[in-house]
Amino acid sequence: MLHIGIITLFPEMFNILQQGVSGKALEKKLVQLERFYLRDYTQDARKTVDDRPYGGGPGMVMMVQPLRDAIHAAKKKLGEDTLTVYLSPQGKPVYQQQMVSFVESKKPLLLIAGRYEGIDERLIEQDIDQEWSMGDIVLSGGEIPAMAIIDAMIRLVPGALGDETSAKQDTFEDGLLEYPHYTRPRTLESLDVPEVLLRGNHRDIIRWRLKHALGRTWLKRPDLLDKLTLTSEQIILLQEFIEEL
Ligand code: SAM
């Protein structure tokens, strides 16, 4: 079972995960999601969660005491071996293989969704194991990246997807983008479904799909190909794709 905690000022945002694949996994208890509402850890009547930055400047910083108490309470509940992650545009961008490895590790995960200008640097030093980013964009809070990460992890939990092989074929799983998909009708305007997919020869279909996975990775994300050592069969298929193009 995947055990994930999330510290947030907006716990209701995570209701979105009750839909679709993640919703079914939550229902089946393949994943346990615990929301820690930051205001529950405040000590004043106004439930203050922000504070002024030393040195001045625009914006507020997340107040240290409630966040620190929330982190400690969450870690106590999730367990000693919890990986504590602060969602931040300054973190390392997340990637699929990292999601796979984390789900396989079966460790509990604590995600901290920042708001305002972010969190006190000393909390990052003391209480945070890693900083993860959704990419080089700045969002107004860590909730959306947290939901994206939770969703990506949930679909990797055995039993979460209808067809277990489906996640294995996804883009990034083998370092390549996934091959193109087609469904009915056979002809759309003047565009036909590739003949090989209609003939039913399984070996030919596998070969065609690998060739096109290689080809579209070459076209759309050559940086991914640079990270791979292609087999001689893959080199031939990619060459074929380039020549046909
Ligand atoms: N002042 C911060 C900076 O320049 O690095 C940005 C703060 S941002 C407005 C507020 C919160 O949104 C952050 O604390 C973080 O939790 C979240 N956030 C924003 N962009 C993100 C990204 N690309 N990946 C992950 N979290 C992000």
Side-chain angles (χ1 to χ4, degrees):
M1 199 211 8
L2 187 60
H3 197 180
I4 301 181
I6 166 83
I7 296 178
T8 173
L9 263 171
F10 299 102
E12 330 73 48
M13 283 179 80
F14 291 83
N15 291 347
I16 282 178
L17 291 167
Q18 283 158 8
Q19 319 272 320
V21 168
S22 52
K24 290 218 176 72
L26 283 162
E27 245 172 55
K28 286 198 242 169
K29 303 209 183 318
L30 299 174
V31 51
Q32 190 182 347
L33 189 61
E34 302 206 41
R35 308 175 212 196
F36 298 90
Y37 180 36
L38 197 56
R39 289 199 201 277
D40 287 344
Y41 298 88
T42 52
Q43 290 176 347
D44 63 329
R46 294 184 59 215
K47 296 190 179 295
T48 310
V49 288
D50 60 345
D51 213 340
R52 286 192 308 270
Y54 276 120
M60 298 293 274
V61 178
M62 293 183 81
M63 192 176 172
V64 169
Q65 173 272 315
L67 182 55
R68 193 154 184 254
D69 288 355
I71 294 173
H72 293 173
K75 275 188 185 170
K76 208 166 166 192
K77 194 141 187 228
L78 293 170
E80 278 297 302
D81 56 340
T82 299
L83 181 76
T84 304
V85 171
Y86 171 46
L87 282 326
S88 163
Q90 301 186 17
K92 284 221 173 81
V94 288
Y95 55 96
Q96 183 66 11
Q97 200 48 49
Q98 177 189 12
M99 303 290 104
V100 172
S101 307
F102 187 81
V103 170
E104 285 174 358
S105 79
K106 297 198 162 60
K107 269 187 168 192
L109 177 66
L110 175 60
L111 296 172
I112 295 157
R115 284 273 154 178
Y116 316 115
E117 293 304 324
I119 72 178
D120 188 295
E121 195 60 27
R122 293 160 299 176
L123 284 185
I124 299 180
E125 282 166 29
Q126 279 188 348
D127 292 305
I128 305 295
D129 298 315
Q130 293 178 14
E131 290 178 79
W132 290 359
S133 166
M134 271 315 283
D136 292 343
I137 50 172
V138 179
L139 301 158
S140 46
E143 284 78 8
I144 290 173
M147 278 188 264
I149 286 164
I150 295 168
D151 184 75
M153 284 188 177
I154 287 180
R155 62 198 302 287
L156 296 168
V157 175
L161 291 181
D163 180 352
E164 285 306 303
T165 54
S166 157
K168 294 260 175 286
Q169 290 180 358
D170 278 338
T171 288
F172 306 128
E173 270 299 313
D174 52 4
L176 297 173
L177 304 184
E178 198 182 29
Y179 52 80
H181 297 283
Y182 295 90
T183 184
R184 289 180 296 174
R186 272 174 77 150
T187 304
L188 187 62
E189 304 290 334
S190 59
L191 298 174
D192 292 329
V193 172
E195 201 43 47
V196 62
L197 300 179
L198 304 171
R199 283 200 300 264
N201 182 322
H202 198 56
R203 275 176 64 121
D204 287 352
I205 292 173
I206 291 177
R207 191 175 186 282
W208 183 90
R209 285 183 167 165
L210 178 57
K211 179 161 82 178
H212 284 263
L214 287 157
R216 61 173 38 202
T217 309
W218 177 75
L219 283 174
K220 295 184 183 183
R221 291 289 305 273
D223 57 303
L224 293 177
L225 275 188
D226 291 344
K227 292 185 201 144
L228 296 175
T229 311
L230 299 185
T231 63
S232 47
E233 190 210 356
Q234 287 175 327
I235 292 170
I236 292 168
L237 286 175
L238 180 56
Q239 211 54 52
E240 258 183 55
F241 178 91
I242 294 169
E243 276 160 23
E244 285 167 14
L245 199 73

